[in-house]
Amino acid sequence: MPIQVLNQGTEFVLTAGGASYALGLVESGYLVHRHFGSAVREAPPWPLRVIAAGRPFSPTVLPGRDDFSLDVLPQEYPTYGRGDFRTPALKIRGADGNAVTEVRFQNHEVVPGRPPLPGLPHLRVFPESGSSLVLRGEDPYTGLRVELTYCALNDLPVIGRSVRLINAGDRPLVIERAFSASLDLPVSRFDAVTLNGAWGRERHLTRVPLGPGVRAIQSGRGASGHQANPFLALADPDATEEHGEVRALSWLYSGNFWAGAEVSQFGTTRLQIGLNPEEFCWRLEPGEEFVTPEAVLAFSSAGFQGMSDTFHDLVREHVMPESWGHRERPIVLNNWEATYFQFTEPKLLELATVAADVGVEMFVLDDGWFGARNNDLKALGDWQVNREKLPGGIAGLAGRIHDLGLKFGLWVEPEMISPDSDLARAHPDWALGVPGRTRSEGRHQWVLDLSRDDVADWMIGWLDDLLTRAPIDYIKWDMNRNMSEVGSALAAPERQGETSYRYLLGLYRVLGELTARHPEVLFESCSGGGGRFDLGMLFFMPQTWTSDDSDAIERLAIQHGTSLVYPPIAMAAHVSAVPNHQMGRVTPLATRGWVAMSANFGYELDLTRLPAEELAEIREQTRQYRKVRSLVQFGRFRRLLSPVGNNDAAWMFVDEKADEALVVWVNRLGEVNGAVHWLRLRDLDSGRRYRILRLAGPEGWDGPETMGGDALMGIGLPSLYRRDFQVSAFHLVAED
Ligand code: GLA
């Protein structure tokens, strides 16, 4: 029974993939959080004097009832201004100017699947894959109606939460804060785990113990951002990869967010995610409704590995566009770091010819193919092909690339406009901006105002036309600056605070239309690398350019952190030139190869300049990748050694039946006369024997040709004398 309604409709237990989420109603309609964790049949409705007793300086909301303070009560959707001084989830300013908000829940409904979330990315849930509890409440004073939806998946320990607000009163309301999820956990001994960084070093794992007060991550950049991924996990302090409880939060949204954990004065923890109130307010006229993005709560009793398995399955099965979670991704050559803006058609064809010869499967033309775009100073918005560079147009080039036996992909950055562009000259009001102030520039560009229907329609029009006229197999959708002066020329003053959210709704409409009209095109999202790596984007575009930093050693921490939430099939990783263009490091081709082969693989360098030995090595890499591709893209991912604070990083892929595994192990610095290091594997079949194919590693390996799964897991594989940036890679195949 995924959703149980108990105690005359006042207690609810949702069971999702072996985890339970329980909540209840007390005192005529306050919604109480009871449990989120391991499976339970019921969660006791503890007496109020245990969970809500009024304390000094904690007001009692019901006159005379000292056993009941909202400041103490573990809540599900706390509101502002009624004596709960922790961070609220909902704050509505009414027509008389105050923002005191209160919701009493009166009724519930259990529905198969999940009610639609119009215009927003959402978990793909069908009646056979999950069911939802909908709780309906009201603020009797303002007439605001609130609908909380909890979607429990059958196959995974995941609850999706979203909120619908309806103004059923007769005066306008202003939503100042509407989070998607909030829950009060009864204890506070947690480590907060987040993925932080900056451009070029995204999603490095951060783990800090919670203390009194708020530990929050956020974005006000109009995109989820390089700095903090919309992901926050609370882990047992002793949780490891394989052991301990982890509760994690993310959401299907790509714009501003706030996610936090607040330890209260009484040692409870409020865990929340929602639209960042800093850049949001929404006017709700009588009869109008507002829907929040969908939050995702995941529980693991098997450490971070259990959590990642859940997220990886979730992304493949319930987030990515249907079928893309199971479709092989091609080996790419992207011309960006090979030529930057300086290319000609013969140069591209020369590159593609070598690429085809070494086993690449798709050629991608990056920035610079349109308008006067010969550098990054201008021409975003002028999406007519530059016939000087490409006399046959995109269709002509795509045809010639196809003739070489390669697929063809193209870069676009549709959301941006260069001040120096024909588009900006024709439509100066199409960019986000506010009256009387200059528009800030980022990479010499402004942001198109996608909160406007006319701009979104124009975007759908030219992209649909491009995809219809030319045989394009893949689109890299870039977004190279964050938003400032977020205002819309068409919005009334009292609606300006809606622009950020309306922008994302506009973007999602564009992406929804284009992906529906061109379902065979593989879309990859990008924002200066991984500046918009989130579940909202993956709902439309099933892979993301992980980082502009393609240095193999830097990628260890980036791909490690990213793997906490996102499966390798969601990440693109390319071999680039040495010295590396971002940071000058020189690493062996084998190391660059195996790090990139641990995701959706490709190259981003001038193949025509490589010596014959390197081309031969690349030919061998593409051959090996084809052999292990299904393991990498569809197998289980295991983090064996963390690069955080360590010299080594190692990981493996293993298929569901443990027939086969791929192990990759990289050290940063080498050692003279050093120790022998051992790497113990996981999730093999202890009763089977595996043939060991050593694909890369230091000279002098003389290891056994086969080993039992038990020995591989219990003793491990050794690494001998190592140089700087050394990689070892092993392909294990069960013998019987
Ligand atoms: C961004 C992307 C790069 C490349 C350039 C092109 O920086 O992340 O991969 O596409 O834009 O301008």
Side-chain angles (χ1 to χ4, degrees):
M1 251 318 262
I3 297 181
Q4 289 184 79
V5 179
L6 309 166
N7 211 13
Q8 285 91 46
T10 59
E11 296 292 327
F12 310 92
V13 181
L14 294 82
T15 300
S20 289
Y21 193 106
L23 56 160
L25 289 169
V26 296
E27 294 297 329
S28 59
Y30 292 101
L31 196 53
V32 177
H33 178 75
R34 299 231 185 264
H35 174 70
F36 175 43
S38 56
V40 296
R41 267 162 295 155
E42 62 186 53
W46 303 109
L48 288 174
R49 76 187 134 74
V50 176
I51 57 166
R55 312 279 192 115
F57 289 85
S58 289
T60 52
V61 68
L62 304 174
R65 289 286 306 279
D66 283 349
D67 64 342
F68 192 72
S69 169
L70 294 178
D71 200 26
V72 185
L73 192 73
Q75 296 190 65
E76 277 293 307
Y77 203 58
T79 57
Y80 175 79
R82 291 289 275 162
D84 179 353
F85 300 111
R86 295 167 288 179
T87 310
L90 183 68
K91 183 177 180 187
I92 306 286
R93 198 165 293 275
D96 28 355
N98 75 77
V100 177
T101 310
E102 182 171 34
V103 184
R104 304 285 192 99
F105 289 85
Q106 296 99 0
N107 62 61
H108 71 270
E109 191 183 352
V110 175
V111 297
R114 204 246 349 271
L117 281 177
L120 285 163
H122 52 80
L123 294 178
R124 296 178 197 274
V125 186
F126 305 99
E128 59 283 5
S129 50
S131 42
S132 297
L133 171 69
V134 182
L135 287 160
R136 296 196 177 87
E138 195 175 5
D139 182 342
Y141 184 73
T142 58
L144 175 80
R145 290 207 187 127
V146 178
E147 258 181 38
L148 305 184
T149 297
Y150 295 76
C151 175
L153 296 186
N154 294 340
D155 59 342
L156 294 171
V158 168
I159 303 287
R161 283 187 60 175
S162 58
V163 179
R164 198 154 81 103
L165 304 174
I166 305 136
N167 184 350
D170 51 13
R171 296 196 292 170
L173 299 172
V174 176
I175 308 168
E176 295 190 346
R177 173 189 295 254
F179 282 179
S180 297
S182 179
L183 56 152
D184 288 338
L185 300 164
V187 295
S188 62
R189 242 186 111 248
F190 293 118
D191 283 353
V193 177
T194 52
L195 301 173
N196 300 94
W199 173 86
R201 48 182 172 83
E202 299 91 335
R203 291 175 301 288
H204 285 215
L205 191 149
T206 309
R207 180 172 182 167
V208 290
L210 285 187
V214 179
R215 163 89 185 157
I217 50 167
Q218 53 118 12
S219 165
R221 298 168 169 272
S224 42
H226 302 83
Q227 293 70 15
N229 199 253
F231 159 79
L232 168 63
L234 297 183
D236 286 349
D238 53 0
T240 62
E241 271 297 316
E242 292 173 277
H243 301 286
E245 293 193 348
V246 185
R247 290 162 181 83
L249 192 64
S250 183
W251 74 340
L252 286 96
Y253 189 65
S254 316
N256 298 335
F257 72 94
W258 189 96
E262 179 175 8
V263 174
S264 77
Q265 56 184 330
F266 305 119
T268 62
T269 306
R270 176 163 289 177
L271 181 60
Q272 298 176 305
I273 191 165
L275 292 167
N276 192 338
E278 194 65 65
E279 190 46 74
F280 170 80
C281 83
W282 189 281
R283 191 176 162 89
L284 205 60
E285 296 292 340
E288 286 184 347
E289 66 175 56
F290 176 86
V291 183
T292 71
E294 187 173 30
V296 166
L297 292 157
F299 173 74
S300 165
S301 56
F304 294 102
Q305 176 178 300
M307 177 196 78
S308 297
D309 282 352
T310 295
F311 273 117
H312 292 188
D313 286 347
L314 186 79
V315 169
R316 271 193 297 250
E317 305 297 333
H318 298 282
V319 175
M320 283 180 182
E322 282 148 71
S323 87
W324 278 107
H326 301 273
R327 282 212 216 175
E328 273 192 353
R329 310 298 165 83
I331 303 172
V332 166
L333 173 73
N334 178 305
N335 77 311
W336 177 239
E337 291 195 12
T339 66
Y340 295 102
F341 295 98
Q342 274 60 57
F343 57 82
T344 58
E345 185 165 294
K347 173 69 192 178
L348 297 179
L349 290 171
E350 195 195 350
L351 263 175
T353 305
V354 182
D357 183 55
V358 295
V360 164
E361 298 162 341
M362 180 161 76
F363 179 82
V364 176
L365 173 56
D366 211 281
D367 197 354
W369 57 266
F370 51 90
R373 184 81 172 165
N374 294 318
N375 50 45
D376 67 6
L377 298 174
K378 56 182 160 194
L380 286 172
D382 298 344
W383 295 105
Q384 303 76 29
V385 67
N386 179 335
R387 295 267 168 186
E388 273 170 37
K389 283 183 179 169
L390 303 175
I394 293 298
L397 177 66
R400 299 185 70 176
I401 298 289
H402 283 163
D403 290 343
L404 293 169
L406 298 174
K407 291 174 188 276
F408 175 73
L410 191 65
W411 177 96
V412 292
E413 194 180 356
E415 296 162 70
M416 296 293 153
I417 176 168
S418 303
D420 184 0
S421 66
D422 293 341
L423 187 70
R425 285 181 280 274
H427 298 287
D429 62 326
W430 276 21
L432 292 175
V434 298
R437 296 188 195 278
T438 54
R439 294 181 172 100
S440 306
E441 291 180 18
R443 208 190 186 207
H444 320 288
Q445 58 202 52
W446 297 331
V447 184
L448 278 171
D449 178 3
L450 270 181
S451 74
R452 290 172 59 148
D453 283 345
D454 54 350
V455 176
D457 288 340
W458 165 83
M459 199 176 287
I460 293 169
W462 77 259
L463 279 159
D464 184 41
D465 196 53
L466 177 72
L467 289 169
T468 307
R469 284 166 190 261
I472 295 171
D473 304 293
Y474 155 108
I475 286 285
K476 176 176 170 189
W477 183 294
D478 212 340
M479 194 264 192
N480 278 317
R481 66 157 292 181
N482 291 144
M483 298 175 200
S484 52
E485 302 92 29
V486 181
S488 173
L490 289 195
E494 66 276 16
R495 294 228 173 241
Q496 290 292 335
E498 300 170 14
T499 307
S500 299
Y501 194 52
R502 288 192 187 276
Y503 180 99
L504 265 293
L505 295 177
L507 174 63
Y508 290 145
R509 180 165 76 83
V510 172
L511 292 174
E513 275 288 331
L514 291 170
T515 51
R517 290 187 202 177
H518 303 280
E520 290 307 311
V521 174
L522 170 59
F523 283 82
E524 175 170 314
S525 80
C526 173
S527 175
R532 207 162 54 178
F533 205 138
D534 55 62
L535 300 177
M537 280 295 132
L538 288 170
F539 180 83
F540 299 100
M541 305 199 252
Q543 61 186 54
T544 302
W545 178 226
T546 311
S547 176
D548 275 351
D549 189 344
S550 55
D551 172 71
I553 299 303
E554 287 296 299
R555 277 291 184 115
L556 298 176
I558 295 171
Q559 292 178 198
H560 171 88
T562 306
S563 79
L564 248 72
V565 185
Y566 308 97
I569 195 176
M571 301 181 212
H574 296 169
V575 171
S576 58
V578 289
N580 175 268
H581 290 193
Q582 290 77 39
M583 48 106 64
R585 183 153 32 212
V586 177
T587 50
L589 181 53
T591 308
R592 283 176 276 150
W594 283 106
V595 171
M597 277 192 264
S598 296
N600 296 340
F601 183 44
Y603 293 86
E604 188 140 349
L605 75 175
D606 191 347
L607 293 175
T608 66
R609 291 189 176 186
L610 297 186
E613 319 80 77
E614 292 204 357
L615 286 178
E617 193 174 339
I618 288 177
R619 194 175 292 112
E620 182 57 15
Q621 286 180 343
T622 60
R623 195 185 67 81
Q624 284 172 345
Y625 189 67
R626 267 189 284 277
K627 273 174 59 186
V628 297
R629 170 163 39 196
S630 62
L631 261 180
V632 170
Q633 298 185 354
F634 310 119
R636 285 258 168 254
F637 183 73
R638 295 283 170 257
R639 292 173 293 265
L640 300 175
L641 295 175
S642 162
V644 181
N646 295 319
N647 193 38
D648 285 24
W651 56 92
M652 67 184 277
F653 304 86
V654 54
D655 71 329
E656 213 66 55
K657 294 187 184 150
D659 287 338
E660 229 190 312
L662 172 70
V663 181
V664 181
W665 183 5
V666 180
N667 61 266
R668 289 192 174 98
L669 296 182
E671 294 158 312
V672 175
N673 199 18
V676 173
H677 298 260
W678 292 87
L679 181 68
R680 288 163 65 161
L681 309 187
R682 266 189 244 144
D683 290 283
L684 297 174
D685 187 332
S686 54
R688 292 167 87 185
R689 178 160 281 280
Y690 290 83
R691 176 155 297 279
I692 302 171
L693 303 163
R694 190 162 172 275
L695 305 173
E699 302 289 310
W701 165 266
D702 194 16
E705 285 181 5
T706 68
M707 263 173 90
D710 50 1
L712 284 162
M713 293 189 287
I715 300 169
L717 292 167
S719 167
L720 309 174
Y721 171 77
R722 307 182 313 166
R723 295 180 185 278
D724 286 356
F725 319 131
Q726 178 79 59
V727 69
S728 296
F730 302 90
H731 187 196
L732 309 175
V733 183
E735 286 203 310
D736 35 25

